[in-house]
Every structure is written in structure tokens, then in C-alpha cells.
Amino acid sequence: MSKRAADRPQGVYSPVLTPFNADLSPSVPRFVAHCRALLEQGAGLAIFGTNSEANSLSVAEKRQLLDALLDAGQPAARMMPGTGACALPDAVALTRHAVSAGCGGVLMLPPFYYKGVSDEGLFRAYAHVIEQVADERLRIYLYHIPPVSGVPISLGLIERLLGAFPGIIAGIKDSSGDWDNTAAMLRDFQPRGFDVFAGTETVLLETMRAGGAGCITATGNVNAAPIVALYRSWHEAGAEQRQRALNETRAIFQSYPMIPAMKATLAQRQGDPVWATVRPPLVELGAAQAAQLAQRLAVPAA
């Protein structure tokens, strides 16, 4: 039986898309408005995730955006900022700021530039951040996304971190795309109070049936309400049908570059072409692609 506390992050979290102005600076008003809309649909805010273009943002920009949400009165307990970085001082600074703001947790990539690093090296990296932040409120959710980072978080490393930092190492987002790996985490670590979030809604039902905490998913940006509905009703009749509908929508977005596709959808829905802007090296969808995507989604005109 899971030891998950009622006040710990659970449910559906969205790695919030970061809107950019034409000059590529973050658009703070759009960001705050999008976060507010996600919260109203029942989703939490995994700001500065992969789909936030987080590694195209500076530390100062991330602090600015987090502070803007706090200043707007958005609940810090429903935020799980991404604070992992290749430079340990950056990870420490972002993590310390998130903890001091009262965020429900932080989602932390391992240092990801050097490949083929050992579990010992990764353990030292996480330990350094924990020891430098030195705050009992810290809750780290490991971010396992080897298809992108190239640096996996092994089951052995999780075991060691849990042993050394119980309570602080609070869970994981598993974006490996390997259900056997997710199942192993659920079996071995979830009963110890280590909350496992799927990295996609396509396995949300399976994750919940195995005792998981929910999912942290890109398409939460554009399909939050139906994903939240499945999370809340996964044990009820019709769950498989709801899961299939989510998978169909996800498949449409996955047939395009995901971040530009989601931004194009928000631009169309809101009648705001600025939303389509991405930071290089990403490139926005072309007009024909965006029109085709809108048609496939049957997006109503703004």
C-alpha cells in the first residue's frame, strides 16, 4: 500500500509551454494566463520541463517566470518546477528558489551533457544539490528521460538515493517509454512512498491500476480536462474507452514536432499567432501543417 501523503503532488501535471514574444523573450502575461487555465482544468504545473523549452531558458528567466506566477497568486503547492541543470550551481540556485517559494516539489534532470557517466557520478550530483539546498522541505522528483537526455536513472541509483535521502527523494517522472521499467519502479519503490508518475497519458490507466501517482504529460497543455477526467475516474466503468480517446489525441500530436504542434494549437484556439513562436533551434510549424493539424483535431475557430 502506498505511503503517499495527501498533501504530496499527485494527479495530472503539465510541463507548461513557455510562450515567447516576437523578440524571443518570454511572454509573462501569456505564461501566467496559460498556467491559470491549466489549474482551472485540474492540472498541476510542471513548469520548466522538456516541453517548456526549459533548456533554452536562462536561470534568470526561470526565476522571473516562477515569481510571476507567485505574484499572480497561483498556488505554489501545485507547482513542480524543473530545476535540473548541467551546471550544479544552476541546479542548486533554482532548487533553492523553488523550495523557498513553497513549491510542492522539484522535477530534476540529471546533469545531461556528459554521456556514459556512472551511477556514482549521478549520485554525487544529486547529493551535492541536496546538501547545498539543506532544507527539510525539499522534495525531489527524479526525471528519467533517456531518449532525450541520454543519461538514464537506473533502478540501482534510485535505491541508493532512497536509502541516503529518505523523504527528500520523493518520486520520479518516467519518460523512458519502457513500461517494464515503469512497472519495476511501481513494484519496487512506490510502496516505500516513492511516487511514480508516468511520462505520458497513454499509460495513465495502467499506472493508476499499479498504484502510481498520476502522469506528467506534454499534451496536458492542450488536452488537460480529459486527461484529468481519466485520472479521477480510472477505477470506474468506461475507463478503457477514455484511455483510447486520449491515445488518439496524443497520436495526432506525436505525428508532428510536439512542441511546435502544441503551440500552433494554442495559437489557433486563442486567435493569438504569437503563441506559435518557439526558440531556436526549434522551428514553428508551417502554415499548411498547422492548418492540417487544426483540421485533424477539429479545433473550433477562436
Side-chain angles (χ1 to χ4, degrees), residues 51-302:
N51 289 276
S52 312
E53 298 172 76
N55 290 299
S56 297
L57 293 169
S58 69
V59 172
E61 287 171 330
K62 292 174 187 176
R63 289 179 63 116
Q64 174 197 22
L65 291 169
L66 173 56
D67 288 346
L69 290 179
L70 299 170
D71 290 345
Q74 302 309 304
R78 292 287 286 154
M79 300 177 197
M80 190 188 293
T83 63
C86 289
L88 286 178
D90 289 350
V92 169
L94 287 167
T95 302
R96 184 179 288 135
H97 189 59
V99 173
S100 66
C103 292
V106 298
L107 188 61
M108 193 175 295
L109 282 166
F112 52 84
Y113 179 76
Y114 295 106
K115 306 303 189 282
V117 295
S118 65
D119 278 3
E120 175 65 25
L122 295 178
F123 178 85
R124 291 183 189 183
Y126 281 110
H128 178 82
V129 174
I130 293 167
E131 290 160 1
Q132 290 296 306
V133 172
D135 193 315
E136 63 182 10
R137 296 173 296 172
L138 175 59
R139 298 292 179 267
I140 291 177
Y141 292 82
L142 306 172
Y143 188 6
H144 178 57
I145 184 168
V148 177
S149 71
V151 179
I153 297 173
S154 70
L155 299 179
L157 177 59
I158 296 170
E159 179 75 44
R160 186 176 174 191
L161 286 167
L162 274 174
F165 305 105
I168 291 175
I169 300 297
I172 195 164
K173 176 187 179 184
D174 184 7
S175 295
S176 64
D178 178 358
W179 173 252
D180 288 342
N181 188 71
T182 307
M185 293 177 180
L186 288 161
R187 180 189 67 241
D188 296 344
F189 305 127
Q190 182 80 49
R192 296 165 59 181
F194 179 84
D195 288 336
V196 177
F197 288 86
T200 169
E201 74 276 23
T202 60
V203 292
L204 177 56
L205 184 56
E206 287 179 280
T207 300
M208 297 311 300
R209 286 174 171 171
C215 67
I216 302 173
T217 179
T219 38
N221 281 284
V222 289
N223 201 34
I227 302 172
V228 171
L230 176 60
Y231 167 75
R232 292 174 174 169
S233 65
W234 65 268
H235 53 286
E236 298 175 5
E240 289 86 356
Q241 182 178 356
R242 289 189 287 277
Q243 181 69 80
R244 285 194 294 271
L246 295 181
N247 294 358
E248 289 170 4
T249 299
R250 176 83 180 207
I252 292 173
F253 281 101
Q254 286 184 330
S255 65
Y256 301 88
M258 282 279 286
I259 297 170
M262 290 187 294
K263 283 191 159 183
T265 297
L266 288 180
Q268 198 280 338
R269 288 178 179 174
Q270 298 183 21
D272 181 2
V274 172
W275 251 113
T277 306
V278 292
R279 261 191 183 173
L282 300 185
V283 176
E284 69 279 357
L285 290 191
Q289 279 186 307
Q292 181 193 59
L293 171 61
Q295 184 176 25
R296 292 177 68 186
L297 291 170
V299 178

Side-chain angles (χ1 to χ4, degrees), residues 8-30:
R8 287 178 64 165
Q10 54 189 291
V12 177
Y13 277 72
S14 174
V16 180
L17 293 168
T18 305
F20 295 109
N21 297 306
D23 65 359
L24 301 183
S25 63
S27 174
V28 175
R30 289 180 177 88

